[in-house]
Amino acid sequence: MAHARLQIQIQSSSPAETLQFGTVFGEALQPGDFLALNGPLGAGKTLLVQGILQGLGVDNFDGRPTFVLMQPYTLADRDIEVLHVDAYRLGSQSSEEWLQLGWQDWLAENKIILVEWADYMADILPEDRIEFEIEIVPGGLSEMENEQDRSSVSSSTLRKVLLTAFGERSMQLVQMVMRN
């Protein structure tokens, strides 16, 4: 584990806000950056990835790669490859299977890597990374919803996102994004 660590908690009160946060984050990413996204089903991991990809300039988002395990995107104008990985299909404690699929090679190739359900492969994540732990706030309503008739709201749109940056590059990236 990397020793340098920074934690920041943010709140998202709508899917549009989650998408926008992802877009801002994506605009700051560079080759070698690694984002690990965790949270329960429906928390917004894929929506956050969609925003990140939009920020990187990807306009052909293919959704969750659950059935293909990994979806590559090439940023032609920057000659950068982005990998969107969904560890859900291989299940928890699937590190050995990921290693057999070439995980170490992907990390060594200086790509931008986004992993949903990263806790399923926690023991092989790189030391320098940013973890997003997304939590659905039960009964949580955004400020706008609080002003409206609560009876029309069927589920929570409020999310808490704990960002934990491990390593110098990831700490700098989080600090830069949070300043903007």
Side-chain angles (χ1 to χ4, degrees):
M1 280 283 167
H3 297 288
R5 183 175 140 177
L6 171 70
Q7 282 192 320
I8 295 175
Q9 184 167 308
I10 63 163
Q11 185 172 291
S12 173
S13 58
S14 70
E17 204 171 282
T18 300
L19 193 65
Q20 177 60 30
F21 178 71
T23 301
V24 170
F25 222 95
E27 291 170 349
L29 293 178
Q30 298 295 320
D33 289 338
F34 188 101
L35 307 183
L37 295 90
N38 294 300
L41 285 171
K45 296 178 295 294
T46 303
L47 184 62
L48 186 58
V49 166
Q50 182 180 4
I52 291 166
L53 290 171
Q54 284 179 359
L56 286 165
V58 173
D59 56 6
N60 63 333
F61 177 63
D62 292 334
R64 292 186 68 197
T66 301
F67 296 106
V68 295
L69 300 178
M70 184 267 299
Q71 179 66 47
Y73 297 91
T74 301
L75 309 178
D77 60 325
R78 295 171 53 191
D79 195 30
I80 297 172
E81 188 170 20
V82 180
L83 298 181
H84 175 200
V85 177
D86 193 326
Y88 188 79
R89 182 170 180 213
L90 292 183
S92 62
Q93 301 173 353
S94 60
S95 299
E96 187 58 38
E97 290 89 343
W98 286 106
L99 290 171
Q100 291 172 7
L101 289 169
W103 182 251
Q104 294 299 339
D105 294 334
W106 298 345
L107 292 176
E109 292 171 355
N110 211 27
K111 303 172 185 300
I112 295 172
I113 301 178
L114 316 172
V115 179
E116 294 186 55
W117 298 95
D119 51 345
Y120 283 15
M121 54 184 2
D123 57 332
I124 60 170
L125 297 179
E127 287 189 11
D128 198 314
R129 67 184 182 278
I130 301 170
E131 293 183 3
F132 294 74
E133 186 65 43
I134 306 171
E135 175 188 344
I136 301 170
V137 179
L141 303 172
S142 69
E143 289 180 28
M144 182 181 292
E145 291 168 329
N146 280 327
E147 295 169 6
Q148 298 172 354
D149 178 12
R150 289 176 181 249
S151 64
S152 67
V153 178
S154 61
S155 65
S156 175
T157 57
L158 187 62
R159 302 292 190 264
K160 287 184 183 176
V161 182
L162 180 64
L163 285 89
T164 306
F166 297 91
E168 292 301 322
R169 164 64 188 148
S170 292
M171 287 175 47
Q172 291 169 359
L173 177 58
V174 168
Q175 290 170 337
M176 180 178 66
V177 169
M178 297 312 293
R179 278 193 299 263
N180 295 334

